[in-house]
Structures are given as C-alpha cells and as structure tokens.
Amino acid sequence: EVQLVQSGAEVKKPGESLILSCKASGYDFSSYWIGWVRQMPGKGLEWMGIIYPSDSDTRYSPSFQGQVNISADKSISTAYLQWTSLKASDTAIYYCVRRWEVSNSPPFDFWGQGTLVTVSS
Amino acid sequence: SYALTQPLSVSVALGQTAIITCGGNNIGGKLVHWYQRRPGQAPVLVIYNDANRPSGIPERFSGSNSGNTATLTISRVQVGDEADYFCHVWDSGTGVFGGGTQLTVL
C-alpha cells in the first residue's frame, strides 16, 4: 500500500527556518516524481515544485523558485520542503504528492495527510 | 500564466446529478485531472486524463473536456460526496490548480 506520511504541525516565528518531511512507503521511491502543494487558509491549491529522487532533478513553480528548497533522500525514501526564513504569509497546509506518470501531463495519485504550518510572532 | 476558473460553490439535491466546471483557455487541448477533498482529509484523485477513473472511484464520477471547459459530473449524488473539488492541468511544466468548488448536498 502506497503511503506518504508527513511530519507534524509546526508553529514558528517569522525569520525562523523549517524543514518538513514526507516519508514514502509501498513503492520504489526513486522511480516517481514527488512534490509539494500549498493550501493557504481559505484558498485553493498551489503547486510548489517537484523532485525526482533518483537523480535529484528538481523543478519549481515560478511562484516558489528561490523561496523554498525541495530535496529528497532516497536512502530513507523521504522528501523535504525547506525554508531558511519564514514569513507570516507561509502560514498554510502543505501536502506532499506523488506524481503518477500515466500520461505526459501526469496527475498526483497519492497525497500525504498534510502539515499545518503556522508562522506568527 | 495559465489560469483555471471554477465556480465557488455548487448545490445539488441528494440523488441528483452535480456538474462542476473548470474553465481555461483552450483547456480542451490539455489533460485535466480532478481531486476531491473532504473536510479534514487529504485530497483524492477522482478523475485523471479528462475522463478516467482511478481504481476504487465509483462509476458515478465522470469527466469530459472540450473547448474552454472541462466538466466533472457526479451522478446520483450521496451525502459522502460533499467536499471541495479541484481541477488540475500542467502548463509549460508548471502545475496549475483551479480555485476549487465546494459541493453541497441538499
């Protein structure tokens, strides 16, 4: 059974750093792109970026390029989303997602449970 | 940048048919995916590549895509279908989501 299990909720202050994790199981982690999706309070979904764990090829949405860092450790089947300096506007739920290469415009077939990040002074 | 437009809300009587639209410039030339997000739960893929259902998704869920509008149709709506629904496409290597539609079952 495919599972994406994310790290727990975080409460941070502006300017602090943060790393979220997403532990994958039930499939060959290296062979699927894995990414992150943001949902700000009361808003829709936003695609942030994606990484191919086999070679660490990483793509970012233009909206998030330079704002976050996406990485993966294939030895422990875990993907990460990292900030060096959080802002209040980073308050959101973050989902990790697996991309299913069923076509040249693939869907996300599995989602993590989401991690709530609250940034407040 | 490419944008997808969804109605904020759709209401439908129990047992009737719900139609949720997703508008975009020539969206018919793209492959559209749909996700269901029940309150407090992670999103679930319900339709992929315009009209295909993943394993485990009821036949009541169907999709179509043509011109400037993609459509998610839910037949014989049940209380458990009450959720937010999001459409999704890829444009120039970037994932794009619609704003989401809240489905209310009356």
Side-chain angles (χ1 to χ4, degrees):
Chain A
E1 178 194 8
V2 173
Q3 284 193 311
L4 300 174
V5 179
Q6 299 182 228
S7 48
E10 301 274 1
V11 179
K12 292 288 191 179
K13 290 181 166 47
E16 292 186 333
S17 62
L18 176 63
I19 300 176
L20 304 185
S21 66
C22 172
K23 169 76 172 174
S25 61
Y27 72 98
D28 180 4
F29 180 72
S30 293
S31 298
Y32 288 80
W33 290 83
I34 189 163
W36 293 90
V37 173
R38 182 176 80 174
Q39 182 165 32
M40 298 176 72
K43 301 295 185 181
L45 303 173
E46 299 172 273
W47 178 74
M48 301 177 72
I50 202 159
I51 187 168
Y52 192 64
S54 179
D55 61 6
S56 295
D57 184 8
T58 309
R59 316 285 172 83
Y60 292 94
S61 162
S63 300
F64 292 92
Q65 179 80 49
Q67 307 304 308
V68 296
N69 185 65
I70 294 172
S71 60
D73 184 342
K74 60 186 179 183
S75 70
I76 56 171
S77 300
T78 300
Y80 301 96
L81 179 63
Q82 180 179 13
W83 292 261
T84 56
S85 181
L86 287 161
K87 302 185 284 286
S89 57
D90 293 316
T91 294
I93 297 173
Y94 293 87
Y95 295 99
C96 66
V97 294
R98 189 184 83 160
R99 199 170 82 171
W100 179 28
E101 306 299 320
V102 67
S103 65
N104 59 4
S105 293
F108 301 124
D109 63 342
F110 285 95
W111 295 62
Q113 83 275 21
T115 297
L116 175 62
V117 174
T118 303
V119 183
S120 174
S121 54
Chain B
S1 61
Y2 194 79
L4 296 174
T5 302
Q6 296 183 239
L8 282 176
S9 62
V10 167
S11 298
V12 62
L14 184 68
Q16 297 305 302
T17 298
I19 297 175
I20 298 172
T21 59
C22 176
N25 184 32
N26 193 28
I27 195 174
K30 300 180 181 297
L31 293 175
V32 180
H33 318 300
W34 291 91
Y35 305 91
Q36 174 196 67
R37 192 192 63 205
R38 293 192 176 106
Q41 297 186 20
V44 171
L45 178 68
V46 294
I47 292 290
Y48 68 95
N49 292 356
D50 294 340
N52 296 279
R53 281 176 291 103
S55 174
I57 300 301
E59 290 183 9
R60 301 184 297 104
F61 288 81
S62 62
S64 64
N65 184 20
S66 179
N68 293 318
T69 305
T71 300
L72 172 68
T73 301
I74 309 172
S75 304
R76 303 180 300 283
V77 163
Q78 302 175 0
V79 172
D81 297 332
E82 207 163 71
D84 293 326
Y85 292 85
F86 296 88
C87 55
H88 162 221
V89 301
W90 290 91
D91 180 71
S92 301
T94 296
V96 180
F97 288 97
T101 298
Q102 182 178 49
L103 177 65
T104 300
V105 180
L106 304 173

